[in-house]
Amino acid sequence: MNILVCGEIFSPNLGDGLIAQAIQKLVNDVAPGATVRLYDFAGRTGLIELGSSLSDGERSKPSSLRTLHRSVYGSSSTYASALNLIQHYSPHSARDRRRRLARAMAECDRAIIGGGQLLQDDRLAFPLAIHSVVTEAQKQLVPIDYFSVGVGEHWSKLGAYLVRRSLLADNVGAVMCRDDLSATRLRGLCPDASAKIGVTYDAALAL
């Protein structure tokens, strides 16, 4: 059996990578013969040094426009959400993501979205990524579960809508939260998915 673990696998936050390793370990403990592969929401294939994609000149002397962008992105959730939405659906980004997802899903028998505070609005970044994963899994008839996910408290209308769609898809099985508070929040956000929602433990504890 081939299992695809989806999440913030190679984010600059090293804790996300450790959680992914913990889920790999748990799957291998339950199904020793399974092949577990990883899919990073952002398409990253390994850990990189923060800022390493910039040239030395850009790092030492950021442009006024870049400085303004960073300032507004950090202070305005509306600006950040709009930018994330545009980037997600831009032709190049959407085409690249669909190709990566199609390849990943074509080689797996089951998928898991798991670990960390993934069910949060995050200026639409996580809802958009999760919705893409669930949609591609649905196209390829791949069953998918959520495991050990944390749930945020504050949601935009679009973020909440995307997450509800991602929970109610017919290929989604169990939705296991990492604590009682997360499960309570998720049932409040999507009452129609209550039968799927349960509580497990934080996957990081498996390390």
Side-chain angles (χ1 to χ4, degrees), residues 30-78:
V30 173
T35 298
V36 183
R37 293 180 298 108
L38 303 175
Y39 176 83
D40 184 89
F41 282 162
R44 295 164 295 212
T45 57
L47 296 173
I48 61 172
E49 181 183 352
L50 191 61
S52 62
S53 61
L54 301 177
S55 68
D56 291 338
E58 286 175 315
R59 281 196 294 269
S60 62
K61 192 176 181 180
S63 68
S64 298
L65 185 60
R66 186 184 298 277
T67 300
L68 177 62
H69 160 71
R70 288 176 176 171
S71 175
V72 178
Y73 189 91
S75 61
S76 171
S77 59
T78 301

Side-chain angles (χ1 to χ4, degrees), residues 8-206:
E8 285 287 277
I9 310 298
F10 299 115
S11 82
N13 180 359
L14 295 180
D16 292 327
L18 292 175
I19 291 172
Q21 290 179 27
I23 294 177
Q24 276 187 295
K25 178 180 181 298
L26 289 169
V27 171
N28 286 325
D29 287 346
V30 173
T35 298
V36 183
R37 293 180 298 108
L38 303 175
Y39 176 83
D40 184 89
F41 282 162
R44 295 164 295 212
T45 57
L47 296 173
I48 61 172
E49 181 183 352
L50 191 61
S52 62
S53 61
L54 301 177
S55 68
D56 291 338
E58 286 175 315
R59 281 196 294 269
S60 62
K61 192 176 181 180
S63 68
S64 298
L65 185 60
R66 186 184 298 277
T67 300
L68 177 62
H69 160 71
R70 288 176 176 171
S71 175
V72 178
Y73 189 91
S75 61
S76 171
S77 59
T78 301
Y79 172 82
S81 296
L83 188 60
N84 287 338
L85 188 63
I86 292 169
Q87 289 178 335
H88 185 83
Y89 287 111
S90 68
H92 176 75
S93 175
R95 183 171 57 250
D96 179 64
R97 181 179 60 257
R98 283 195 298 267
R99 287 173 178 170
R100 286 188 290 106
L101 265 172
R103 286 196 301 267
M105 287 294 172
E107 299 173 359
C108 77
D109 301 299
R110 192 170 202 92
I112 297 172
I113 293 174
Q117 190 82 352
L118 292 183
L119 291 182
Q120 61 175 320
D121 194 85
D122 193 38
R123 301 175 175 189
L124 295 182
F126 286 169
L128 287 167
I130 290 170
H131 185 259
S132 292
V133 169
V134 172
T135 299
E136 184 59 37
Q138 196 171 27
K139 285 180 183 177
Q140 299 201 32
L141 303 179
V142 175
I144 190 166
D145 302 295
Y146 295 73
F147 178 73
S148 190
V149 290
V151 181
E153 182 178 6
H154 303 292
W155 294 88
S156 63
K157 289 183 179 180
L158 181 54
Y161 169 78
L162 290 169
V163 167
R164 291 188 190 105
R165 289 284 302 271
S166 302
L167 295 176
L168 294 172
D170 55 13
N171 62 321
V172 172
V175 181
M176 303 304 293
C177 299
R178 65 183 181 183
D179 53 57
D180 290 324
L181 178 59
S182 291
T184 298
R185 287 175 174 171
L186 198 55
R187 291 187 185 107
L189 182 69
C190 189
D192 290 343
S194 292
K196 299 181 179 183
I197 298 169
V199 180
T200 184
Y201 54 88
D202 193 328
L205 298 177

